[in-house]
Structure formats: structure tokens, C-alpha cells
Amino acid sequence: MATINDNYLKLKAGYLFPEIARRVNAFASENPDAKIIRLGIGDVTEPLPEACRTAMIKAVEDMGEQASFRGYGPEQGYAWLREKIATQDFQARNCAVEAEEIFVSDGSKCDCGNILDIFGDNNTIAVTDPVYPVYVDTNVMAGHTGLANEQGEFEGLVYLPITADNNFTAQIPTQKVDLIYLCFPNNPTGAVATREHLKAWVDYARANGSIIFFDAAYEAFITDPDLPHSIYEIEGARECAIEFRSFSKNAGFTGTRCAFTVVPKALTAKAADGSDVELWKLWNRRQSTKFNGVSYIVQRGAEAVYSEEGQAQTKALIQFYMENARIIREQLTAAGIAVYGGVNAPYVWVKTPAGLSSWEFFDKLLHTCNVVGTPGSGFGAAGEGYFRISAFNSRANVEEAMKRITEKFKAS
Ligand code: MLT
């Protein structure tokens, strides 16, 4: 008789975003005339940059010619894309990252989950609370946790609360943890890490032989010139960190799919016999076995992000969404609602008004304003009483949503 991976039964009923979609669809079918505005999932709405489209069209033509047709590409990504990433995203910021250390993939969500393949099952794992749910759920699926308690906290994980009191940046743990997930600019709170904060983490990780999983999917939204974009801007990070990056949010590739992971050659972790093993080799082996690379067409599109036009067009896209974030912050503040984030990140983290729980506020916004956001409690127990609003939408939708919310809450 075939059996299942019982760890899946420990997961909460639905992944957060499908659960939101379920509630919104139920509301929409009962209220077919409601003009629902979705500021929930952080999904881009604006068209792909022209430079990317042009490059992809050209790549399609290449595939139609005998001489330039490509079959399987390198599992790690084409050298021309890895070179551009290494020089423009890292070396230009004085990070010693080489093209060989870049692994092009079809998404950071996949990479964040897949990376667990090369780590042991006995690591102590730390996540912030609230947190991007993928970090937790993939560890549950891999059998790295016990059951969840009533607040949804899984036995065996170390939760590091991030609250307004600590500027939504976790305290360095006093206990020893082996794997640490950090996300800056932060999803969901929109918080950022200073150089000093990241240095404290790097120092901790080096002292304890820990590995930091640094999710920098939103680095392009940093506006403050003093903030680090990559963990490799911090001395010693090559010895303790893996970084995840994505073209989803800066270049609008959520549907097109392209991302990359940086695994430095110097990075090691322990084998069962106590020897040091290079993580690069394991990840390279994992990718070569389980992944066939991102399509040539998509990688050509991603490469175009690094052209002069691509840089100008992605900058304009980011500015567009950040203007949305500014509108959201200002309008909600004017309506007497406390907000955080949204300055160096496309997410605004809202304190729910009038003591409403996160899901109560979700239902109220959906039913009275026909606006969808994401309940903070869906990101973890410490997210209760908060609500995330995404700046990814058209200007007209953001303005209309803010008008509806401020009218409702100013009046109440
Ligand atoms: C989010 O809304 O948190 C993001 O869209 C999730 C993701 O990028 O996978």
C-alpha cells in the first residue's frame, strides 16, 4: 500500500494566498457587481519592460533558426546572464561574487524551499514571526518540525518576534541556531536592515557555524542609499550566507519566471563525519539532477534588465510601485491608521484599527470597501493585529482603494 509524506498533514489547511483567494471568490460570487480591488498577494500588474520583451522576441526568432536554436541549456543558467548578474548586481557594489556562484532558476519561492535538499534534518531553524510562509511550510513538509500549536507555531522551530518595538528586525538569538531565514527588505512588514544589523547576524553566524538564508527578492525597492542591498556587502558573509534574488518584482517577471541564488564557493557545512563540505558542490549537484534550467527565451529577457534601457525601464517600474506605496502610507496615516514599511519596500504593514483582529479587518475591508489585503496573522502569530497592503497595482486601483478605505475609517 502506498503511503504519503505525513508531514503534509501537519500544515495548516491552506497556503495563505489560496485561502484569501477562496474567501474573495466566495464574496465575488455572492456579490457579482462588487468592484473588488486586490492589494493582497504581491503580484505585479504593469507590463514587462520593453527591453525585456524585445530581447525575448529576438530569442524566439533565434529558436526558429537552425544556427541559433538551443535545446537544453546549462542547469545553472547561461554564462552571459550569470556574468551580468555578477558584475552589475554584486561586483558593482563591492561584493566579491563570481558568475560561477550564481544559479539561475525559475523563482525564489522554489529556491527557498529546494535549498533544504542539501541540508541535514537535524538543524535548529530560526524564522522571524511574522514571516514569509514558504520558509516555514517547506520545513514542515521536509519533516523538520513537530505539530503546530493553536497560534500556528510549529514545534521545533525557533521564532524570533519582529514587532514595532524592535523596528521589525529580530534580536540576535541567545541560543544556538543552525539555519536562519532573513528577508530584507522584509516581506511582510516592509522593514529594512542596516549594515550594523546584518553585521551582527553575520558575526553570530560565523561564531556559531550557522548558515543565513538571505532573501533579497525586494532589494531593488531600497531607496535609502545607506542601506545594504546584498548580505555580501557585509564582511564575512561569504562564509555564512546564501542569497536569493528574483526578477519577479523589479522587472515584473512573476508570470515569466526567473530568479537566482548565490552560493559562494567558500561556504561549507558539516557532514555527519564532522568534515566540512562545500555547499556549492551540493547545490550544483542538486540543480543538475532535479532542474533543467530556465528557458533560453526567459533568460534573454532577464539579461535585458542589465542593458541601459532595461535599467531605466525597471527603475521606472519600481518608482511607479513606490509611488503607490507612498499614496497608501499617506492616505492611511491621514485616516488615523498606523502604518509601517512602504518606504524601501513595496509592502505597507498596517496596524489594524479599533482592535480588530487581522481576519476581522480583512473581512471588513472586503465586505465594506471591496478591497483585499493580507491578514498579518497569516504570516505568523506575532502578525496578529496587523494587515499587509501591497503596492503592486495600477495607480487608479490604489487611489480608488485608498479613497474607499479612508472614507470608511475617517467616518467611523
Ligand atoms: C507575497 O505576496 O508575499 C508574494 O507575492 C509571495 C511570493 O513572491 O511568492
Side-chain angles (χ1 to χ4, degrees):
M1 178 79 85
T3 61
I4 59 151
N5 174 354
D6 275 89
N7 295 309
Y8 277 67
L9 304 180
K10 299 176 191 164
L11 294 165
K12 283 189 281 170
Y15 178 57
L16 176 62
F17 295 105
E19 171 58 19
I20 291 171
R22 194 187 61 73
R23 290 193 189 209
V24 174
N25 291 342
F27 175 80
S29 62
E30 281 159 29
N31 303 274
D33 296 331
K35 294 209 168 6
I36 297 172
I37 300 177
R38 292 162 206 266
L39 304 176
I41 192 164
D43 192 7
V44 294
T45 55
E46 302 310 297
L48 286 175
E50 205 212 321
C52 301
R53 282 183 279 132
T54 306
M56 284 193 271
I57 291 165
K58 158 86 173 55
V60 171
E61 301 296 343
D62 291 348
M63 295 297 267
E65 299 291 329
Q66 192 73 61
S68 49
F69 171 79
R70 321 264 171 143
Y72 291 125
E75 294 91 350
Q76 302 80 358
Y78 285 102
W80 33 261
L81 176 57
R82 298 168 86 197
E83 287 290 347
K84 294 213 169 59
I85 293 169
T87 51
Q88 296 196 41
D89 280 337
F90 294 101
Q91 291 161 15
R93 298 193 67 85
N94 291 322
C95 304
V97 171
E98 300 299 328
E100 264 217 306
E101 298 173 323
I102 313 266
F103 292 83
V104 176
S105 77
D106 60 349
S108 283
K109 178 159 115 177
C110 324
D111 285 353
C112 287
N114 292 338
I115 198 77
L116 295 176
D117 274 11
I118 65 166
F119 286 91
D121 290 330
N122 296 321
N123 289 305
T124 306
I125 296 155
V127 293
T128 62
D129 178 10
V131 68
Y132 178 43
V134 171
Y135 311 153
V136 172
D137 287 1
T138 51
N139 275 290
V140 177
M141 291 170 176
H144 297 166
T145 73
L147 295 171
N149 65 17
E150 268 177 19
Q151 285 80 47
E153 294 163 330
F154 284 92
E155 191 196 334
L157 291 184
V158 175
Y159 287 91
L160 307 172
I162 53 174
T163 63
D165 293 338
N166 58 20
N167 280 327
F168 301 100
T169 49
Q171 296 290 310
I172 307 296
T174 45
Q175 78 220 78
K176 196 169 167 321
V177 296
D178 304 308
L179 301 177
I180 304 148
Y181 289 84
L182 295 180
C183 174
F184 288 112
N186 188 251
N187 179 12
T189 66
V192 287
T194 60
R195 226 165 265 283
E196 294 67 38
H197 183 69
L198 288 191
K199 180 170 182 328
W201 275 113
V202 167
D203 290 348
Y204 170 90
R206 289 172 78 195
N208 290 283
S210 329
I211 301 286
I212 297 171
F213 295 148
F214 191 74
D215 183 350
Y218 299 95
E219 61 77 34
F221 294 83
I222 293 175
T223 51
D224 181 341
D226 293 332
L227 292 171
H229 287 235
S230 164
I231 194 150
Y232 304 117
E233 290 178 49
I234 311 300
E235 204 192 323
R238 284 180 56 83
E239 291 158 40
C240 65
I242 289 174
E243 183 163 308
F244 304 102
R245 293 267 189 118
S246 172
F247 294 97
S248 282
K249 312 294 161 92
N250 63 339
F253 273 47
T254 54
T256 308
R257 310 306 307 151
C258 199
F260 59 92
T261 287
V262 185
V263 186
K265 287 260 178 104
L267 194 58
T268 62
K270 296 279 180 207
D273 65 4
S275 60
D276 290 315
V277 177
E278 269 185 53
L279 293 171
W280 185 94
K281 284 193 181 148
L282 299 189
W283 185 243
N284 191 47
R285 184 72 173 80
R286 191 261 170 219
Q287 292 298 84
S288 311
T289 303
K290 291 197 182 182
F291 187 56
N292 261 334
V294 175
S295 82
Y296 170 71
I297 297 160
V298 168
Q299 288 192 63
R300 281 293 187 202
E303 182 193 27
V305 167
Y306 298 96
S307 65
E308 215 176 298
E309 313 81 70
Q311 287 289 289
Q313 290 160 12
T314 49
K315 197 166 163 212
L317 258 184
I318 290 159
Q319 280 170 350
F320 174 84
Y321 291 124
M322 289 312 288
E323 175 63 7
N324 284 349
R326 188 192 64 77
I327 293 168
I328 295 167
R329 278 190 297 114
E330 289 190 1
Q331 297 271 319
L332 295 181
T333 305
I337 297 175
V339 298
Y340 304 91
V343 178
N344 293 288
Y347 295 124
V348 179
W349 190 236
V350 176
K351 182 87 196 87
T352 58
L356 294 174
S357 76
S358 298
W359 278 108
E360 281 166 354
F361 189 59
F362 173 90
D363 287 331
K364 186 162 177 148
L365 277 198
L366 177 61
H367 289 261
T368 63
C369 304
N370 303 160
V371 173
V372 180
T374 310
S377 56
F379 297 101
E384 181 53 273
Y386 287 92
F387 194 77
R388 192 192 75 177
I389 296 190
S390 155
F392 292 112
N393 215 310
S394 66
R395 182 82 79 244
N397 274 351
V398 166
E399 284 173 346
E400 173 62 20
M402 290 307 114
K403 183 164 158 279
R404 292 184 202 166
I405 297 175
T406 50
E407 272 168 11
K408 175 81 200 153
F409 284 91
K410 262 186 183 152
S412 63

